[in-house]
Amino acid sequence: MLWVDHMIRIRDDQDQAAFADLFDHFAPRVKGFLMKSGADASLAEECAQEVMATCWHKAHMFDPARASVATWIFTIARNRKIDVLRKQRRPEPEDLGWGPEDEPDQADVMALQQESEQLGRAISELPPAQRELIQKAYFGDLSHSEIADQTGLPLGTIKSRIRLALERLRHAMK
Amino acid sequence: MEQKIKHHLTDEVLMAYAAGTLPEAFNLMVATHVSLCDECRAAVESYDTLGGEVLDQTPGNDVSLTPGSFAATMALIAGGAPDTIRTTRGRDTVLPQPLLEYVGGGLDNVKWRSVGMGVKQAILPTSKDASARLLYIPAGMAMPDHGHHGTEMTMVLQGAFQDDDDYFARGDVEVANSDLHHTPVADIHEDCICLAVTDAPLRFEGLLPKIAQRFARI
């Protein structure tokens, strides 16, 4: 499902119904993401609300030619995780200065959104073992060696599985 | 125009940056490298996209929100956007944007400390799980001979250095781990400035560097 129209309605019209839909879909996922990363339920809930509020407040900065809505919410949640759970700053790269000032090209928007969906399908079609490792790499504060400890798999196997999974994803994207 | 970057960060590191699981010093390295490297920037953005899809596929139905969660969020929104702290944003021909905040200004603001032999360093304030420093190595000078306990990444910001068969210029990153023993030498044409990050103390050979290491906190 494409969430871009919802974001545009939130951005342009402060549309609360569109925001409620977005909230119903993403807030539990963000909460789950933060719990898997080590937050207890109440902290994760509080952060998920802040993430969704940020999503509203920064709607004017959302650029559908650069990110899908899921990607954008993920980056907000990821940064919140670093702030709150790890109590660290997150240095960001120098901005390229491609802001959302100009209305983005519809063809760019479509291409980016379709590629993100393809990537999503490719992940869901991965063998479970590979999908699980990719999820672990994103959810937990787990290094590859810690993943090895948890799964009991030798480190080399994990690295090659992740590589294989990414190869499959790249292939699926072509 | 930037010179073509030949030595990049690994996919593993770029993915961990997107996932938000790296120590702060390594995040600083990635942000600095990506500021100069379009190729790695594209890779990071695709790992962000992967993160978005992983988030989207997290089962939402087995996590319940507390009743009134939506209303609480609307109340947060009604309270207005939190003030974002505007940090110093300037321009520097040597230090990319992410470093400016850690240095507190441009290259002129770096608080160098001498390490000996004309080599200088400035330790940057990051979380303790890994360290980041700027290194200043006079043209033609060899870095002290050393091996590594953990992972060390060195990125050139000015000048260049030669290590074994490889040449590292602005934007290039050398990734060294515990099995690499190396002696980088700064290019003769210009003093070399690097960003170096490590997750464990370096292992210097010989007594004298070991003593220096205590003082230098390398």
Side-chain angles (χ1 to χ4, degrees):
Chain A
M1 173 159 184
L2 282 175
W3 291 101
V4 171
D5 295 339
H6 281 69
M7 274 308 299
I8 308 257
R9 274 154 58 202
I10 294 165
R11 183 188 72 187
D12 294 347
D13 309 319
Q14 285 83 53
D15 186 329
Q16 287 204 18
F19 183 71
D21 283 351
L22 197 74
F23 184 92
D24 285 345
H25 183 78
F26 282 105
R29 287 172 167 76
V30 170
K31 183 177 176 181
F33 167 70
L34 293 165
M35 286 176 72
K36 287 198 172 108
S37 301
D40 64 34
S42 73
L43 180 61
E45 167 97 30
E46 195 185 309
C47 287
Q49 291 173 9
E50 286 163 1
V51 167
M52 295 313 293
T54 302
C55 194
W56 174 289
H57 286 307
K58 292 196 170 166
H60 62 283
M61 291 171 70
F62 173 68
D63 180 352
R66 270 189 78 183
S68 71
V69 175
T71 304
W72 196 61
I73 294 177
F74 166 74
T75 59
I76 295 171
R78 186 255 338 262
N79 292 355
R80 199 82 198 121
K81 175 180 95 170
I82 295 173
D83 275 358
V84 175
L85 300 191
R86 309 185 69 204
K87 302 194 177 9
Q88 294 186 6
R89 294 163 68 189
R90 175 176 165 97
E92 298 285 345
E94 194 162 313
D95 215 336
L96 285 183
W98 51 8
E101 297 87 2
D102 300 323
E103 200 52 38
D105 189 331
Q106 272 311 306
D108 289 347
V109 173
M110 280 311 291
L112 190 276
Q113 301 297 328
Q114 279 172 1
E115 274 182 20
S116 306
E117 283 203 345
Q118 268 179 24
L119 186 59
R121 269 199 302 280
I123 298 171
S124 64
E125 285 161 10
L126 283 174
Q130 288 176 17
R131 192 170 61 232
E132 202 179 303
L133 284 168
I134 291 217
Q135 286 168 341
K136 273 189 189 292
Y138 278 90
F139 288 139
D141 261 2
L142 294 181
S143 67
H144 289 200
S145 57
E146 287 165 328
I147 292 176
D149 291 343
Q150 273 209 5
T151 56
L153 291 168
L155 190 61
T157 313
I158 289 165
K159 282 188 176 169
S160 64
R161 277 200 192 169
I162 289 181
R163 216 174 306 130
L164 202 65
L166 286 168
E167 278 308 308
R168 274 174 190 259
L169 291 175
R170 285 202 189 98
H171 189 73
M173 298 288 293
K174 274 176 193 157
Chain B
M1 212 183 108
E2 294 292 346
Q3 244 177 316
K4 179 95 180 86
I5 293 171
K6 293 193 194 75
H7 301 277
H8 299 273
L9 290 167
T10 62
D11 272 333
E12 186 181 342
V13 168
L14 297 174
M15 186 183 184
Y17 177 70
T21 55
L22 288 177
E24 187 177 344
F26 285 76
N27 279 337
L28 180 59
M29 170 59 78
V30 176
T32 305
H33 177 72
V34 164
S35 296
L36 299 179
C37 178
D38 291 344
E39 203 174 313
C40 289
R41 184 187 291 264
V44 164
E45 295 200 356
S46 51
Y47 286 122
D48 283 348
T49 310
L50 184 55
E53 293 306 319
V54 168
L55 175 70
D56 205 50
Q57 288 181 24
T58 311
N61 46 15
D62 63 355
V63 178
S64 57
L65 298 174
T66 52
S69 193
F70 182 70
T73 305
M74 291 315 291
L76 271 180
I77 288 170
D83 289 336
T84 41
I85 305 147
R86 290 307 300 168
T87 38
T88 33
R89 288 264 148 176
R91 283 258 149 214
D92 190 278
T93 51
V94 174
L95 306 182
Q97 205 67 249
L99 280 174
L100 298 184
E101 287 170 23
Y102 280 82
V103 166
L107 196 57
D108 296 342
N109 301 82
V110 176
K111 292 175 186 66
W112 294 111
R113 280 169 190 274
S114 177
V115 184
M117 311 284 279
V119 178
K120 294 183 285 183
Q121 71 162 352
I123 296 172
L124 303 176
T126 62
S127 63
K128 301 285 176 227
D129 44 359
S131 72
R133 74 197 63 231
L134 289 170
L135 289 169
Y136 186 102
I137 303 127
M141 169 74 72
M143 303 260 297
D145 191 20
H146 64 280
H148 307 85
H149 284 301
T151 300
E152 183 193 42
M153 297 179 194
T154 309
M155 177 176 155
V156 177
L157 297 164
Q158 176 190 292
F161 69 82
Q162 176 79 41
D163 194 8
D164 298 330
D165 298 332
D166 285 322
Y167 186 78
F168 298 84
R170 179 168 162 87
D172 285 328
V173 185
E174 179 174 52
V175 180
N177 48 37
S178 43
D179 44 18
L180 183 87
H181 189 97
H182 65 153
T183 314
V185 179
D187 189 281
I188 195 73
H189 294 101
E190 194 177 10
D191 293 344
C192 183
I193 296 174
C194 295
L195 171 66
V197 302
T198 180
D199 58 0
L202 303 189
R203 188 176 53 203
F204 281 85
E205 304 299 324
L207 183 62
L208 200 61
K210 263 191 189 132
I211 293 168
Q213 184 180 1
R214 282 223 196 124
F215 287 99
R217 286 212 284 144
I218 290 182

